[in-house]
Amino acid sequence: MSEEKDPKAQTPPPPPGSRGSKLLPIFVGLNSLLLVGVMGVLVMQMRKASHPPEHSEEAQADQAHESDEAPAAGDESAKKEEPKEEKKDEKKEEKAEGKDEKKPGAPGKGVASGLGPLVKLSDFVIHLRNPEIDRYARLSFDVEVFADSDKESLNAHMPRVRDAFISYLSDRTLEELQGAEGLGRTKDALQLKLRDLVPEARVRSLYISDFVVQ
């Protein structure tokens, strides 16, 4: 009986390092899985880098199309604005011309092309100042004014105008009225008299329609 041994005492202890040998394959498998995952992620990133998404190309095309259309729209707006500026300039010129027309006694300013209203003066029969021989001159005049209102003003002062014309012409000699220079001086002098006598009537020009010496 004394020689019988305890069964627990007879079981040999496990050899050292047996647990470590079982865990080693597990660690190797995990490392392999991690390595495969990292490689997969790298491959996906490389594919994305080599093949950009299609929507980015479409966005770039849209931006290029908008940049091409932008100058055209600007050109159209510029073209639309140019007539407005021209109209403004034309209005300014018309206003300036209207102001010039309102100024009395300012011939040749703000007058449209063409002949203005005319006031015909009846014939003047003048005894010229020639001491050696009696000379008579018959003259007719047309006065051009700016508007019908000037015509009415001139007609209202016609007696004064005729009196001034007769006084001036009767003091002329035949030599002073002859030739283009003499008639030009006579027209200028009579035109000044008109503006002095009737300043509210804007006289544009004076024309000699008839001139006969007897």
Side-chain angles (χ1 to χ4, degrees):
M1 296 294 292
S2 59
E3 294 179 357
E4 292 181 359
K5 295 179 181 180
D6 190 359
K8 295 181 179 180
Q10 294 179 358
T11 303
S18 60
R19 293 181 180 177
S21 61
K22 292 180 179 180
L23 294 175
L24 182 61
I26 295 173
F27 287 137
V28 173
L30 290 174
N31 289 332
S32 300
L33 290 174
L34 289 173
L35 183 60
V36 170
V38 171
M39 292 295 293
V41 171
L42 293 175
V43 170
M44 292 294 293
Q45 290 180 353
M46 291 175 65
R47 287 181 179 179
K48 289 181 179 179
S50 60
H51 299 284
E54 295 181 356
H55 64 83
S56 62
E57 294 180 356
E58 295 177 356
Q60 292 177 357
D62 293 338
Q63 290 178 356
H65 183 65
E66 291 176 358
S67 62
D68 293 337
E69 291 180 353
D75 294 340
E76 291 178 359
S77 61
K79 290 179 180 178
K80 292 180 180 178
E81 292 177 359
E82 287 178 358
K84 293 181 179 178
E85 294 179 356
E86 292 179 357
K87 290 181 179 178
K88 290 180 180 179
D89 295 337
E90 291 177 358
K91 290 181 179 179
K92 289 180 180 179
E93 291 177 359
E94 290 176 359
K95 290 181 179 178
E97 290 178 356
K99 290 180 180 179
D100 291 336
E101 288 181 1
K102 291 180 181 179
K103 293 180 180 179
K109 293 183 179 180
V111 182
S113 60
L115 194 64
L118 292 176
V119 179
K120 186 171 183 60
L121 304 183
S122 301
D123 293 348
F124 293 87
V125 179
I126 306 298
H127 182 264
L128 300 177
R129 187 173 59 85
N130 285 81
E132 297 178 358
I133 188 172
D134 290 337
R135 288 286 186 177
Y136 292 88
R138 187 184 68 192
L139 297 96
S140 298
F141 299 94
D142 288 321
V143 182
E144 182 184 2
V145 294
F146 283 81
D148 291 335
S149 58
D150 304 318
K151 185 176 179 180
E152 294 175 358
S153 299
L154 187 58
N155 285 326
H157 295 81
M158 190 56 66
R160 295 178 59 193
V161 171
R162 291 189 62 83
D163 180 72
F165 274 44
I166 292 171
S167 298
Y168 177 83
L169 294 172
S170 62
D171 199 27
R172 303 300 102 189
T173 63
L174 179 60
E175 289 74 15
E176 290 175 338
L177 296 178
Q178 285 180 336
E181 294 182 0
L183 291 177
R185 288 193 296 268
T186 301
K187 285 171 57 178
D188 294 339
L190 292 176
Q191 193 168 344
L192 289 175
K193 283 186 174 296
L194 275 176
R195 290 175 181 155
D196 292 338
L197 292 171
V198 193
E200 62 271 19
R202 297 170 299 169
V203 176
R204 184 175 179 183
S205 185
L206 178 69
Y207 305 101
I208 298 176
S209 56
D210 192 12
F211 176 62
V212 177
V213 177
Q214 296 177 354

